[in-house]
């Protein structure tokens, strides 16, 4: 399993490097050689109410797209006081550094309690599917004036075990034949919490899974529950749905 994750992460790094050089080449040809530099993060969150994505590093360049506050964008490089980015809809352009907040892997607060370490962004151990779902969930919370959830490493492990259990034992239910209810499972793994919840889904697409949750009253209530502040997300391939999604929430 770990070898698979290592290979996947290596592939993602190679793809990112290739994309970086392709985009730098495109933009160099478009508006002349600039002082490009690498950045130590790949994701940022928009802080402006509406942010223009421009075709070049300056307000004189045309607007190719716009993004809203709380949306996540992919960052490839820096050029002066601007970032070269990709936004939803696969638009590539440049945004002002002033209106985005970098999300650095591994950053965030830590906890010495029995529930383990936590991150405000997804741990580097998460799969690309799990990271995408995590970001989509936090986008919904931020858009509803709620604090972003943090990853709890122990809850993350339990969510992934539950997702694998659903695939291995071919069932779709909050109640596991192996571990019982989500609360039984959290307790058996000795995770402390004041309040807890669980969302499950079967889908072949990450965005579609989150959209389905947001269109379901009970699942949406969990996502937008202000009493929850930590989460874990398991996404496992191999079910009749394509992928099984398990998101566990806790408040402490």
């Amino acid at each position: 399993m770990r070898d698979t994750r290592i290979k996947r992460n290596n592939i993602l790094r190679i793809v990112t490097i290739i994309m970086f050089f392709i985009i730098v080449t495109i933009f160099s040809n478009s508006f002349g050689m600039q002082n490009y530099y690498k950045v130590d993060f790949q994701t940022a969150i928009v802080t402006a109410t509406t942010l223009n994505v421009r075709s070049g590093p300056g307000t004189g360049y045309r607007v190719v797209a716009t993004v809203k506050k709380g949306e996540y964008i992919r960052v490839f490089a820096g050029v002066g006081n601007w970032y070269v980015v990709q936004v939803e809809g696969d638009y590539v352009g440049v945004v002002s550094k002033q209106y985005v907040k970098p999300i650095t892997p591994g950053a965030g607060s830590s906890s010495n309690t029995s529930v383990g370490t936590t991150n405000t962004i997804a741990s580097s151990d998460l799969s690309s599917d799990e990271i995408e779902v995590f970001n989509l969930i936090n986008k919904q919370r931020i858009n509803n004036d709620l604090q972003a959830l943090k990853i709890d490493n122990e809850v993350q492990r339990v969510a992934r075990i539950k997702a694998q259990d659903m695939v291995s034992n071919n069932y779709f239910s909050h109640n596991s034949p192996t571990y019982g209810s989500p609360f039984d499972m959290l307790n058996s793994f000795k995770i402390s919490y004041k309040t807890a919840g669980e969302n499950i889904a079967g889908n072949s697409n990450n965005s579609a899974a989150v959209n389905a949750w947001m269109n379901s009253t009970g699942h949406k209530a969990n996502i937008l529950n202000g009493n929850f502040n930590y989460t874990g997300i398991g996404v496992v391939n191999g079910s009749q749905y394509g992928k099984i999604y398990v998101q566990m929430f806790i408040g402490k």
Side-chain angles (χ1 to χ4, degrees), residues 9 14 33 49 52-53 59 61 71 81 103-104 119 123 128 130 155 180 184 186 189 191 196 209-210 214 232:
N9 288 337
I14 292 170
M33 181 57 68
T49 303
N52 290 327
V53 181
T59 55
Y61 289 90
E71 290 190 22
N81 292 319
I103 298 178
T104 306
N119 292 307
S123 162
S128 58
E130 291 163 349
V155 178
D184 293 333
L186 289 169
F189 281 86
I191 294 176
V210 173
M214 290 302 295

Side-chain angles (χ1 to χ4, degrees), residues 72 118-122 133-139 141-142 146-152 199 222-233 247-251:
Y72 289 86
T118 58
N119 292 307
T120 53
I121 56 91
V133 173
F134 176 77
N135 288 339
L136 289 169
I137 293 296
N138 272 340
K139 179 180 177 181
R141 288 178 64 89
I142 291 168
L146 293 169
Q147 287 190 341
L149 294 170
K150 303 172 185 177
I151 288 290
D152 181 286
N199 282 353
N222 277 338
I223 292 171
L224 301 183
N225 189 332
N227 293 320
F228 294 146
N229 47 15
Y230 295 95
T231 191
I233 298 167
Q247 179 169 20
M248 288 187 167
F249 306 82
I250 66 168

Side-chain angles (χ1 to χ4, degrees), residues 10-248:
N10 287 338
I11 291 171
L12 288 173
R13 291 191 189 100
I14 292 170
V15 170
T16 300
I17 291 170
I18 293 172
M19 286 295 294
F20 170 79
F21 284 110
I22 290 174
I23 288 171
V24 167
T25 301
I26 291 172
F27 276 87
S28 296
N29 292 334
S30 297
F31 48 78
M33 181 57 68
Q34 301 284 337
N35 184 24
Y36 289 97
Y37 54 88
K38 293 183 179 180
V39 293
D40 60 356
F41 59 94
Q42 295 181 8
T43 306
I45 190 168
V46 177
T47 58
T49 303
T50 301
L51 178 61
N52 290 327
V53 181
R54 297 184 178 275
S55 61
T59 55
Y61 289 90
R62 67 185 179 87
V63 175
V64 297
T66 59
V67 285
K68 302 294 185 182
K69 183 175 182 180
E71 290 190 22
Y72 289 86
I73 57 177
R74 186 175 185 185
V75 181
F76 294 103
V79 50
N81 292 319
W82 300 74
Y83 288 135
V84 180
V85 302
Q86 180 184 28
V87 301
E88 190 171 350
D90 289 333
Y91 291 102
V92 174
V94 182
V95 299
S96 172
K97 293 171 58 176
Q98 182 179 354
Y99 303 111
V100 299
K101 180 180 179 181
I103 298 178
T104 306
S109 60
S110 63
S111 169
N112 294 321
T113 64
S114 61
V115 295
T117 58
T118 58
N119 292 307
T120 53
I121 56 91
S123 162
S124 59
D125 189 46
L126 269 64
S127 69
S128 58
D129 284 332
E130 291 163 349
I131 291 173
E132 183 177 5
V133 173
F134 176 77
N135 288 339
L136 289 169
I137 293 296
N138 272 340
K139 179 180 177 181
Q140 295 292 341
R141 288 178 64 89
I142 291 168
N143 287 346
N144 285 274
D145 298 321
L146 293 169
Q147 287 190 341
L149 294 170
K150 303 172 185 177
I151 288 290
D152 181 286
N153 289 343
E154 290 302 307
V155 178
Q156 170 63 31
R157 183 168 73 96
V158 172
R160 191 179 286 160
I161 291 172
K162 172 66 179 289
Q164 185 60 61
D165 183 57
M166 290 174 66
V167 171
S168 299
N169 292 297
N170 193 29
Y171 72 94
F172 187 83
S173 172
H174 290 290
N175 289 307
S176 163
T178 310
Y179 302 102
S181 73
F183 311 103
D184 293 333
M185 191 171 184
L186 289 169
N187 292 336
S188 67
F189 281 86
K190 304 193 183 310
I191 294 176
S192 300
Y193 59 90
K194 292 181 180 178
T195 183
E198 179 187 73
N199 282 353
I200 61 175
N203 210 299
S204 59
N205 180 276
N206 300 332
S207 296
V210 173
N211 287 338
W213 280 341
M214 290 302 295
N215 288 323
S216 166
T217 303
H219 295 93
K220 181 178 179 180
N222 277 338
I223 292 171
L224 301 183
N225 189 332
N227 293 320
F228 294 146
N229 47 15
Y230 295 95
T231 191
I233 298 167
V235 182
V236 175
N237 291 301
S239 79
Q240 59 180 315
Y241 308 101
K243 301 173 187 176
I244 285 293
Y245 299 80
V246 173
Q247 179 169 20
M248 288 187 167

